[in-house]
Amino acid sequence: MPRPLAGVAGTIGALIAVVLLWHLLTAVLGVISAARFPTPQDVAAALQQILVDGYSNGRLHEHVLRSVLLVSMGFAVASAIGVVIGLAMGASRTVEALVNPVFLLLRPIPPLAWIPLAIVWLGLGDAAKMMVIFFAAFVPSVINSYAGVRQIDKPIFEAAAMLDVKGWRYWREVLIPGALPSIFTGLRLSLQASWTTLVAAELVGAVAGLGQILNQAAQDIYPAMILVGMIAVAVCGWLMTLGLGWLERRVMPWKVQ
């Protein structure tokens, strides 16, 4: 069996085993109380409910689209700015001296700590959530882009100086290609942080979204719907990570997978 197919088969097999064990412990043996952790049948019923009738101001696809849009916009803006700043810091001691002190002050602040300030500044709308996502995705992209430049071999810089490579050409042919592996590592971390932060931000003042599903289900004491929301977040994050991996392979076809 080819390696990719073997990996897919292994993943499917592991998921089936988990579901079977879950069914055994909850519905068959009753080791885990269904009031605390729902059975697969309960989750399937909750999924049907939110798909057909809707739950918490919308059906599942409406919640998913809202959350994916917010994550995509916040992640794109934060990553673009973060990568540029990280590359500039790595390439220039002057830029590093100017920017790094401010960055070191912002870096220890947890993204969720920005939620109260975002609400005060921007209210309870999408702009506040995008602000929080921005700070969550910004830090990993800066750190990894900076590290990527610093990991470029010194002879490459010497060759660029000897050939008088400057300006945009220097960025296009030296900095960006050399730092790409580290940049994509930062993008994956930023995407993960974006989803984690979005769900937390949507717990406060959201009209719709996957975080709102979790919040409403917690208030309704509806464990099955909580699991539906969690699974939806996991699937959306997984699919976006796959998309990022596809982009990475397109940009770096030479990289060994």
Side-chain angles (χ1 to χ4, degrees), residues 87 148 175-187 248 251-252 254:
L87 292 176
L175 292 183
I176 296 177
L180 268 179
S182 187
I183 288 174
F184 272 100
T185 298
L187 292 179
E248 181 179 5
V251 173
M252 296 190 299
W254 62 86

Side-chain angles (χ1 to χ4, degrees), residues 100-142:
N100 199 43
V102 178
F103 180 72
L104 290 178
L105 288 175
L106 296 177
R107 180 181 175 182
I109 302 175
L112 300 185
W114 291 97
I115 292 178
L117 193 58
I119 292 175
V120 171
W121 284 353
L122 303 171
L124 296 174
D126 293 343
K129 299 173 181 59
M130 288 185 60
M131 173 182 166
V132 178
I133 293 171
F134 175 90
F135 283 106
F138 178 72
V139 172
S141 59
V142 172

Side-chain angles (χ1 to χ4, degrees), residues 132-249:
V132 178
I133 293 171
F134 175 90
F135 283 106
F138 178 72
V139 172
S141 59
V142 172
I143 294 174
N144 284 273
S145 300
Y146 171 82
V149 174
R150 289 307 174 89
Q151 292 171 3
I152 298 175
D153 294 334
K154 188 177 179 180
I156 295 179
F157 290 114
E158 294 174 348
M162 182 179 65
L163 295 173
D164 196 28
V165 179
K166 297 179 180 179
W168 168 240
R169 184 185 173 197
Y170 178 70
W171 281 67
R172 186 180 69 248
E173 298 182 4
V174 179
L175 292 183
I176 296 177
L180 268 179
S182 187
I183 288 174
F184 272 100
T185 298
L187 292 179
R188 284 192 292 270
L189 293 173
S190 295
L191 182 60
Q192 177 183 351
S194 297
W195 272 107
T196 303
T197 305
L198 171 80
V199 171
E202 285 185 335
L203 291 176
V204 181
V207 177
L210 297 176
Q212 173 61 14
I213 294 176
L214 296 172
N215 184 37
Q216 188 62 52
Q219 294 181 24
D220 295 341
I221 313 178
Y222 195 172
M225 191 62 74
I226 293 176
L227 273 187
V228 169
M230 292 173 64
I231 293 171
V233 171
V235 171
C236 289
W238 174 64
L239 290 176
M240 291 186 71
T241 301
L242 287 181
L244 192 60
W246 173 86
L247 179 61
E248 181 179 5
R249 290 190 296 273

